[in-house]
Structure formats: structure tokens, C-alpha cells
Amino acid sequence: MEDAEENSMFETSHVLGALLASSPLLARAWDRCAAAAAMGAASSGFAHGDGGGDGGTVYVAFSGLQAALSVARPAVASGADVFAPVGLAGDAAGARAFPQLAAAEPDAAAAGERVAVQALALRCFLKLCGSPEFQMLLNQIQGKAVVFTGHSLGGAIAALAALHYLCISSLSSPCSPSPPVLCVTFGSPLIGNGALSRAILRERWGGNFCNVVSQHDVVPRLLFCPLDAIPVRVIIGMQLQQWPGHTHNTGVMTTRVVDAERDGLRQLIQAHVRTVAMEQKLVDPESRGGSPYRPFGAYVLCSPEGAVCVDNSTAAVQMLYATFAACYARGDTTSLEAAHSCYGDLVLKMPQNLLLKRRPHAMDVLASMSNSNYDAGISLAMEASGIGSEAMEATTTRYWLKASKRAGRSPSLNCAGLSTRLGRITPCRAQVEWYKASFDGDMGYYDAFKQRRSPKKFNMADMCRIKLGQFWDGVLAMLDNSQLPHDFHRRAKWVNAARFYQLLVEPLDIADYHRKNFHKTRGGYITHGRDSRYELFDKWWKEKGAFTGTSTGDTAATARSKYAGLTQDPCFWARVEEAWDQTESAQAEQDVAMLAMKLGRLREFEQYARELVESKEVSIDVLAPQSSYTRWVEEWKKLLLRDEARTASLF
């Protein structure tokens, strides 16, 4: 079965890499990076201009010089001080700059991990963000196609600028799709933890980021190492070598990395990137000295042979390790400085190399012909990334590329399969709808289910209620296990389907809870009996309203001409049951103060329910002659008359 699946797939990473390498995008982005680097330490820190034939696209490039100087001047020695992750939720300025990311819920998949960003990049971006020049730039590019770009530390700042622009754009125009924004980084260090990566995927922003990485560049792989083991002096000195003319005027001394330091740094990086790639998880930074950082967006891994593009974080980590290890296994002696500043040559030579591209080695061709086009694509991808068939990492890389293809497809395939299962469960939903309609004119389906009216109909509805609950519990279990797309809870089809299920079936769950008298032994349904799936569906529905710019709770915004098919408050019947309990308690109450308090609560519910009825946000079954709500209204009127008579007797 697995072989059949592979034969039906095409390996596309080398195709995407070739497409990107042959386009003028990378060359134009690099030209802007060079312009930003040439501006010096006294500049605003960024340069912008059109792309020259891009149809109005604006390129904004950021320099990392200010960031490097801010660390070099005080001579900070500890990587834990410079690159420590900063939680956005706990940083006031960071929360204002990235409101959606800062407000993201703690990630249950990572033991409550909150979104955190690299301290150095965040500090430099926030300083830049507060400048009048940057605010003026944001106003100028509003509504235009924008490419944010940067090299090295400038790339990290560019990524944060792109995230900031996406955040403010989605807040100002929640009904509109994401603006045409792309962030292209060259040799950028990692900027966020795993929670940030998953939050970006949930916002559907992963496709807005493209990270270009040379096979022997240490900087993009640096933050996989334990932070306190990172030699800050070596890294900052290596980066300042890119701006010798500007650093000379600042009084900062730059030192070239000696061979011993270079070899030690390469070994440190290779060991820790290998650990992450092999384990497929980040090491706990507190218990084992690992790093919390994780990649996001697409990664374009470049070599003299070409480029490959991978678009999920798992494959990105694996390929970052494999290309780095293969490079130095061949005895590459490129200096760290040259490896980090080679991108200008790469983006110019890659299109030429593609024209002269040779076919895979003869042995690879023979092996591929005996298997499938998919295997041939894997061979092309490995060659383009600089990993030859004789390399020690070749077999592992081939396995990783195949696994990442299956893993990348799996959430989408699972979602498609789930759609089929949703169609199969639809008859159960239709059965409950028929059950509801059969009692609309008498007492409503809530009271009929609570009283077990018409046992045959009741048993069928109860069975369908249980099956529907099992289906949605299965959906949520898949979501918890990352078997569905990260933005599943944002997809209108599934949010609407969950909402319809909730409005239709939760009243039956409330009826079942009260029929079994659980409200007396366990407490009220809303606080003690409600299933967590309904609370999650409530959250999805509210987020949908915020995301689309429509108010899910404002009945005045969408006036109805007839009663709703389903009551729009899924807990309406639980509130009616609470009102009944309070009414009975008020009828027996002798203390004047306590009676006034209980009557006050009942008046609040009466007003709430009346507004729902007047706005037609309830189904017709709520107003059925023998429904619990209709009978409560009559009892409430009697209680008010009795209270008025009691008050009159006092005078």
C-alpha cells in the first residue's frame, strides 16, 4: 500500500527550488539587502524601493548592523543573555506589536508553551517600530504588494516586520484576506519557539515566509545549540566583518575567526542540529540544556548544484542538518565569514546553473528507473541540495524526504477523509431534525426528550445523539494529535458544521442531564455538566466572528423576519431549568431581602429571554404551548402578581 501511494506522488521540493531560483525575486531581494547594508550605522536601519519590473511591488530591506553593534559595544559574552526567548504575552511592547500572536492560547502539545521570540531581534525591531520613519513606511505600503527582506540579523528583523504588518493588516481589515506580503530572508537566525511556529500556521501565514539558507552557513543553524554554549563574540565578530567600513567608525573591533574556533563551532552546531533532526522534537531547555527555537515558513536550501524548497518545520530541520553535515564531510574549508556572505553569488549563479543542469548520476538514474518517478524526484532533490549518493547522510536524507512528503500530506488527506465521514453521519443529524420537527407544535423536542415521549422516536434520537457526539469527539482527538491542518478550527465548513451540531444536539444533552437529576447531585449543567467539546465550539464560533468581522452575538446586526431554525443560545434550556429552580425557591422564600435578590435574577433572565424571542433568535419549539419556557412564563407572571399583592399589603 505504501509503495502504491509513493508511485502516485511526485517529489516537488526540487521543482519548487528551481522555480524560485530561476525567478528574479531572490536577486531583487538581495539587491535591496545590499543597499540596506551600505547605508551604515547612522541610517534608519532599512531601505525600500520598487522591484524594477515587479508591477508595483515594494521591497523593504533591513540591516542587521545596529543589532550586531548593540551586542558588540557592551561585549556581552553569554548567548543566553543575547538570544534568550522573550514571551510576547509578558512583554507589553511585544504584545502591542503582535496582538494575535501574544494572545494565542498556551500550546497543549508542548506543555503550555507560550509564544516567545528571540530577545535580540525583538529588541531591535521594537526600537525600529517606534520610529517615525518606519510608521511612515507602513502608511506608504498599505494596500501594496510588499517583500520584506534582510540578511543575517537583518533577516530576523525582516521576519518580525512582516509578522507585525500581517497582524495590523488583519486587525484593520478582518474581512479581507491576508495582504500580499512575502518575507525573504538570507542566512537568518531562528527567531521563535515552537509555539510561534504553530501560531503562524494557525493564522495561515506560513506561506508568507521564505528562508534562503546556504549549505555551509552556520548562522541559520546556530540557535539549535544550547544558548549558553553559543560563542557570542565569534558570531558577532563574524557578522561585523560584513560592514568593515561602518564598524571602523564606531570604535568596535572585529576579529576574524581562527581555525580552531571555526571547527569547534561547526562541531557544536552539527551535533545539536543532528539531535533535533533525529529526535523530531526540541530538547527541554531547562532539563537538558537544549534550545527552544524552531523554524517556520518555507526553507530554500541552496548549493552550487541548485536549490530545494521544503515547507514544513520537520523537513526544514532535517534538511538543515543533512546539507550541513554533507558539506563538511567532504572537507569543505570555506571560512565562516565567506559561508555567511555568499548569498549574492548564489542568487546570481543559480539561474545559470539551472540552464547547465546535468542529470542525476548514472547509478541514481538506474536506481530510480527501477522504482518510480517519485524516487527519481528524490534523487534530483538530494543532488540539488548538495547531497551526493555517496554521502554518509544520503540514505537518511532519502528516508526523511519521503517521510516528510507523507507527513505533509497527511493532515490534508485526513481532513478530506473526515469530510466523507461527515457525509456518512449526516443521516443521524437528519434523524434528530425530524425528531425536533415532530414535536414543534406540542411541547418542543427538549421537553419531549426529557420526558421520553414516544419511546420509539426517543430511542432513535438518543442513539443518533450518541453517534454524533462520538464523531465530534473523534474530530477533536485528531486535532489534539496534530492529525488535522493547523487552521482546521478556522475553516468555515467545519466551524459551521460544529455550530449546527451544537445548536441541534446540546439541548438533548441538557434534557438528558436533567432527566437523570444530575443537576441535583452534581450541580448546574453549565458549570458542572457541560461537555468540553461545546465550550471549544463556542470559542471557534466567537473566533469566526472576530476573523470575518461579523458579530456572532449581536442580534441587531442581522434582523430576522422569522424564527430561527435552531435556538441560537445552545445553553438556553439550561438557563430555563435554572429559572425554574429559582422560581420555586422564590415561591417558598420568606425572607424579604433574599426574595428581592432572587426576583432580581429572574428579571434578568426574563429580559434576556424576551430579547431573544423578540429578535427571533429562538426556534419555534421554544414557544410551543407545553414547552418548559412557555410554562415558566406563566408561572413567572403569577409570582410577580403575588409579589405585587404582598408589597401592596405592606402599605
Side-chain angles (χ1 to χ4, degrees), residues 67-274:
L69 290 175
S70 69
V71 177
R73 285 188 177 119
V76 178
S78 172
D81 295 329
V82 176
F83 300 113
V86 176
L88 290 181
D91 185 273
R96 287 193 299 270
F98 312 98
Q100 292 95 317
L101 302 178
E105 292 292 326
D107 201 318
E113 183 184 28
R114 285 192 175 275
V115 172
V117 174
Q118 180 208 122
L120 177 60
L122 180 62
R123 183 172 67 247
C124 293
F125 169 72
L126 292 177
K127 181 179 179 181
L128 178 71
C129 186
S131 67
E133 295 88 352
F134 187 73
Q135 294 302 317
M136 186 181 301
L137 172 68
L138 292 180
N139 292 330
Q140 292 174 355
I141 65 177
Q142 197 69 36
K144 298 180 180 179
V146 186
V147 176
F148 293 99
T149 186
H151 173 231
S152 192
L153 291 173
I157 297 171
L160 291 178
L163 284 174
H164 174 67
Y165 187 66
L166 288 166
C167 284
I168 61 175
S169 297
S170 64
L171 286 178
S172 60
S173 302
C175 299
S176 304
S178 297
V181 175
L182 180 65
C183 178
V184 179
T185 69
F186 297 92
S188 170
L190 302 174
I191 68 164
N193 61 354
L196 175 66
S197 176
R198 289 181 284 272
I200 288 171
L201 287 173
R202 285 192 292 269
E203 295 290 339
R204 302 189 186 186
W205 294 342
N208 296 86
F209 294 87
C210 174
N211 305 281
V212 182
V213 176
S214 160
Q215 65 178 152
H216 42 232
D217 189 359
V218 299
V219 173
R221 302 163 171 91
L222 178 68
L223 294 185
F224 287 116
C225 302
L227 301 184
D228 55 4
I230 296 173
V232 175
R233 181 191 64 80
V234 172
I235 297 301
I236 298 302
M238 182 185 76
Q239 301 205 43
L240 289 176
Q241 291 286 342
Q242 302 170 68
W243 304 285
H246 301 303
T247 54
H248 176 74
N249 298 327
T250 61
V252 176
M253 297 297 294
T254 61
T255 56
R256 187 166 295 277
V257 182
V258 300
D259 290 346
E261 291 174 323
R262 179 192 66 193
D263 294 341
L265 183 58
R266 286 174 175 172
Q267 292 172 10
L268 176 72
I269 291 173
Q270 184 168 333
H272 288 282
V273 179
R274 183 181 188 278

Side-chain angles (χ1 to χ4, degrees), residues 429-446:
R429 193 179 72 178
Q431 183 69 37
V432 177
E433 289 183 83
W434 175 82
Y435 179 79
K436 175 183 180 300
S438 65
F439 291 101
D440 274 351
D442 180 18
M443 62 173 56
Y445 80 130
Y446 171 79

Side-chain angles (χ1 to χ4, degrees), residues 392-444:
M392 185 181 301
E393 294 76 18
T395 302
T396 304
T397 304
R398 182 177 291 275
Y399 170 79
W400 279 343
L401 284 171
K402 290 184 177 182
S404 69
K405 183 70 174 179
R406 289 193 292 269
R409 286 163 47 94
S410 181
S412 296
L413 288 176
N414 288 340
C415 193
L418 208 55
S419 296
T420 303
R421 290 173 53 197
L422 179 63
R424 291 174 183 166
I425 204 72
T426 296
C428 288
R429 193 179 72 178
Q431 183 69 37
V432 177
E433 289 183 83
W434 175 82
Y435 179 79
K436 175 183 180 300
S438 65
F439 291 101
D440 274 351
D442 180 18
M443 62 173 56

